[in-house]
Amino acid sequence: MLNMDEIREIIKLIDQSSIDEFTYETSGATISMKKNENTVSQTPEKEVHKKVQSADTPSLVDIKPEIQEEPKEEQTEIKIDYDYEIVSPMVGTLYSAPSPEREAYVTVGSKVEKDSIVCIVEAMKLFNEIEAEVKGEIVEILVEDGELVEYGQPLFRVKTK
Amino acid sequence: MQSTRNKLIKLLAASKDDYISGQLLSEKLNISRSAIWKHMEKLKKDGYEIEGKSNQGYRMIRLPDKLSENTVQWGLNTQWIGKSIIHKTSTPSTQIIAHQAAQNDALHGTVVIADEQTSGRGRMSRQWHSTKQKGIWLSLILRPNISPYLAPQLTLLTATVLADVIYSVTKIRPQIKWPNDILMHSKKTAGILTEMQAEQDQIQYVVIGMGINVNQAKNDFPDIIQKKATSLKIETNQTWDIVKLIQEILVTFEQSYDTYIKNGFPHIKNKWESYGFKIGKTIWVKTLQEEFKAIFSGIAEDGALLIKTIQGETKQLYSGEINWFQKEE
């Protein structure tokens, strides 16, 4: 998984490129970046690109104004307070606790290990104990106890350590 | 070791009422006479009654009805199920033992059995009454090479296996309440609880837990569940051999599982529906949002419950509370 510095590096590189959209996928986690600009801003960027090509030696001055503008927007667009999503491996009902009287396996702020159980997904009385599969902290819970979840649906967001 | 003991049991059983000499046994098994004696002592501990007479030899008087690795394995006609058996006289739950064993690399097909469970559990840690030596409390460890999302089909498969075995031994046709409760005359005879450890695309292991009420009398059940629960004995007025039933279940499971892995779910679906409880009848479905009545029309190609709502809509359910016994208004 990518760390913050690497994500920043990617944002920088994408800023400097003509790429409008970028998706990075790894074991269950996805990072999507999209330049939040319409056609108007795309044109100057292509010009920058052309300039670079024609000038052979890229001039930093040419692209700098764009970098200064964009990172702010992109930082809000990709939620960088998590870097891993735990997804459901099957259709079924989600249970956040081992039984109704017991406490939930995890809450926001819970520290998890790779083999920590975060919830149960049940279908046709098969109970699948979902493990975190990463070490980190639960930063967001996307589902409720008793909710029906789909195959591949994100359940928890984790900030890995 | 195990196989020597099994051979010994076979030789003793084959000679029936005649004595078989220690000399002959030691020749046939290619072990010393003192080794034979040690085996005999072990067998006696497992509940075999063996008579030893000087100058004549040994004679088996009675096979044990007691559960043990030996008694289940002896005469078990399977290829891969039960090659490894873990037996406990008393355990909180065979599921817990099975999980521990699976995490310690227990083989595909490993069977965990107990005479008694002190805190047997059902769905959502609901208690399961597992009276000593009156029923079958068994967990089976599987490592199927199928996608995790297909694994729920294994619980339906297990239900058809138990229904087949109960039908073939008692001649009473049981019913399966979706997905996997076994009923006899609308009362629960057996329950199945399946637990899985899996990654997104690969199953590490599945533990299928089965609880079957065999030789309980009515007053062995707590008052509150007497109306809902039954046993083979209550239904047939007969006491059943637990070891033989376990062997029958394991053999039938192995055949059914092998066919499933080879050919998929269709034959399980057909069999399941032939035992299906309340197919074509009205049931009450309760979800988080609503409660409504619908016609239970059968199961889908993947095992999901198929219902037809009053509006004529067909829906698939994978999970949820269903009221099967509410009377028609």
Side-chain angles (χ1 to χ4, degrees):
Chain A
M1 198 48 230
L2 296 169
N3 63 33
M4 273 313 300
D5 287 340
E6 287 168 323
I7 293 174
R8 279 196 198 102
E9 190 60 34
I10 292 175
I11 293 174
K12 242 189 230 170
L13 289 169
I14 292 171
D15 262 336
Q16 293 167 13
S17 77
S18 61
I19 299 171
D20 292 328
E21 255 184 87
F22 170 78
T23 307
Y24 173 81
E25 241 184 289
T26 179
S27 56
T30 308
I31 296 175
S32 302
M33 299 179 193
K34 201 172 173 183
K35 283 189 184 166
N36 216 2
E37 297 197 344
N38 22 33
T39 33
V40 188
S41 63
Q42 267 180 7
T43 344
E45 205 180 295
K46 273 176 190 161
E47 278 170 12
V48 173
H49 196 65
K50 274 177 197 159
K51 262 185 211 162
V52 174
Q53 276 185 330
S54 59
D56 256 344
T57 35
S59 141
L60 273 174
V61 188
D62 277 336
I63 42 176
K64 221 172 188 171
E66 294 214 3
I67 302 173
Q68 280 173 339
E69 264 177 25
E70 280 179 8
K72 269 186 196 164
E73 272 192 39
E74 279 170 19
Q75 294 239 348
T76 50
E77 188 159 302
I78 47 159
K79 288 199 177 110
I80 35 177
D81 52 343
Y82 73 96
D83 51 14
Y84 185 83
E85 275 183 342
I86 302 170
V87 302
S88 177
M90 61 185 208
V91 178
T93 300
L94 180 129
Y95 295 103
S96 47
S99 66
E101 311 81 48
R102 303 265 295 274
E103 272 180 36
Y105 286 110
V106 290
T107 50
V108 170
S110 295
K111 303 270 186 291
V112 292
E113 297 292 321
K114 280 185 174 177
D115 60 355
S116 302
I117 295 167
V118 291
C119 67
I120 289 174
V121 175
E122 175 262 340
M124 298 183 234
K125 279 213 199 160
L126 175 133
F127 291 80
N128 189 1
E129 292 183 334
I130 311 293
E131 294 183 355
E133 287 186 26
V134 288
K135 186 180 163 147
E137 185 185 329
I138 302 285
V139 291
E140 197 176 353
I141 297 175
L142 305 166
V143 282
E144 273 176 53
D145 186 46
E147 192 177 319
L148 186 73
V149 295
E150 295 294 326
Y151 173 80
Q153 181 177 334
L155 310 173
F156 299 91
R157 286 180 170 158
V158 186
K159 174 87 187 77
T160 60
K161 294 254 161 72
Chain B
M1 189 73 178
Q2 198 71 276
S3 68
T4 307
R5 196 165 300 160
N6 283 343
K7 279 182 204 156
L8 176 60
I9 296 164
K10 273 185 192 164
L11 287 170
L12 287 167
S15 69
K16 290 181 183 156
D17 291 340
D18 296 329
Y19 289 93
I20 179 163
S21 76
Q23 183 61 41
L24 187 63
L25 286 173
S26 98
E27 279 166 22
K28 287 209 168 177
L29 297 171
N30 206 15
I31 54 172
S32 70
R33 290 187 65 168
S34 73
I36 299 268
W37 183 82
K38 277 182 195 156
H39 280 297
M40 293 293 181
E41 291 306 301
K42 284 264 170 60
L43 290 178
K44 282 178 191 166
K45 271 195 185 145
D46 278 348
Y48 291 83
E49 273 180 52
I50 294 161
E51 189 186 28
K53 253 190 185 169
S54 48
N55 299 327
Q56 295 202 53
Y58 298 96
R59 177 170 81 137
M60 185 152 63
I61 299 166
R62 212 164 69 93
L63 279 168
D65 45 19
K66 203 171 122 180
L67 263 190
S68 74
E69 283 92 344
N70 280 330
T71 56
V72 173
Q73 227 154 29
W74 182 61
L76 176 64
N77 197 11
T78 56
Q79 299 298 313
W80 53 268
I81 283 190
K83 292 296 145 187
S84 166
I85 292 175
I86 301 166
H87 169 255
K88 303 277 173 190
T89 45
S90 179
T91 178
S93 158
T94 56
Q95 288 295 95
I96 295 170
I97 305 288
H99 275 285
Q100 286 164 355
Q103 275 151 20
N104 290 315
D105 303 324
L107 292 173
H108 173 65
T110 298
V111 171
V112 181
I113 40 173
D115 292 339
E116 171 187 52
Q117 295 187 111
T118 51
S119 53
R121 61 207 162 97
R123 198 154 61 94
M124 296 317 285
S125 306
R126 283 176 198 164
Q127 201 187 349
W128 180 271
H129 298 273
S130 327
T131 331
K132 200 170 186 174
Q133 294 170 348
K134 297 273 171 99
I136 295 172
W137 327 119
L138 183 153
S139 293
L140 177 59
I141 299 169
L142 299 175
R143 299 185 185 278
N145 189 14
I146 57 172
S147 293
Y149 74 91
L150 292 173
Q153 295 178 345
L154 293 172
T155 84
L156 277 76
L157 180 153
T158 308
T160 63
V161 167
L162 296 187
D164 273 353
V165 171
I166 289 172
Y167 187 36
S168 83
V169 302
T170 67
K171 309 297 173 215
I172 296 173
R173 197 171 173 85
Q175 290 187 297
I176 306 173
K177 179 164 77 63
W178 188 87
N180 56 15
D181 280 347
I182 310 293
L183 309 178
M184 289 171 93
H185 300 119
S186 298
K187 287 182 177 181
K188 186 153 166 176
T189 315
I192 299 160
L193 173 79
T194 309
E195 292 171 301
M196 171 166 80
Q197 285 286 328
E199 277 134 36
Q200 193 61 24
D201 51 2
Q202 201 190 353
I203 296 173
Q204 286 172 22
Y205 66 85
V206 171
V207 175
I208 302 179
M210 308 168 211
I212 305 147
N213 297 330
V214 182
N215 289 329
Q216 288 98 333
K218 203 161 186 173
N219 55 20
D220 283 325
F221 293 115
D223 287 349
I224 39 161
I225 63 167
Q226 276 189 19
K227 277 188 185 149
K228 296 184 199 164
T230 189
S231 71
L232 300 192
K233 186 178 184 174
I234 295 169
E235 297 300 320
T236 60
N237 269 324
Q238 205 178 323
T239 302
W240 296 90
D241 183 333
I242 291 207
V243 173
K244 283 220 176 88
L245 274 172
I246 290 175
Q247 291 179 334
E248 195 66 36
I249 290 165
L250 297 181
V251 168
T252 312
F253 189 99
E254 183 175 281
Q255 288 163 356
S256 185
Y257 179 90
D258 287 345
T259 316
Y260 166 73
I261 293 298
K262 223 168 107 195
N263 300 331
F265 194 63
H267 84 284
I268 307 289
K269 172 182 145 64
N270 291 341
K271 183 159 266 176
W272 194 99
E273 285 181 331
S274 75
Y275 288 113
F277 177 64
K278 291 236 166 151
I279 290 187
K281 305 246 169 69
T282 303
I283 57 171
W284 270 257
V285 179
K286 198 174 154 192
T287 67
L288 266 190
Q289 295 82 25
E290 50 181 347
E291 197 173 345
F292 58 92
K293 71 174 181 181
I295 303 289
F296 172 28
S297 43
I299 59 172
E301 298 305 320
D302 63 355
L305 180 86
L306 280 181
I307 52 164
K308 201 164 190 181
T309 63
I310 295 169
Q311 291 79 27
E313 226 182 313
T314 298
K315 281 188 179 174
Q316 287 196 15
L317 290 182
Y318 289 88
S319 173
E321 287 290 323
I322 289 147
N323 189 340
W324 297 91
F325 298 101
Q326 190 162 327
K327 294 264 185 314
E328 277 276 11
E329 283 147 27

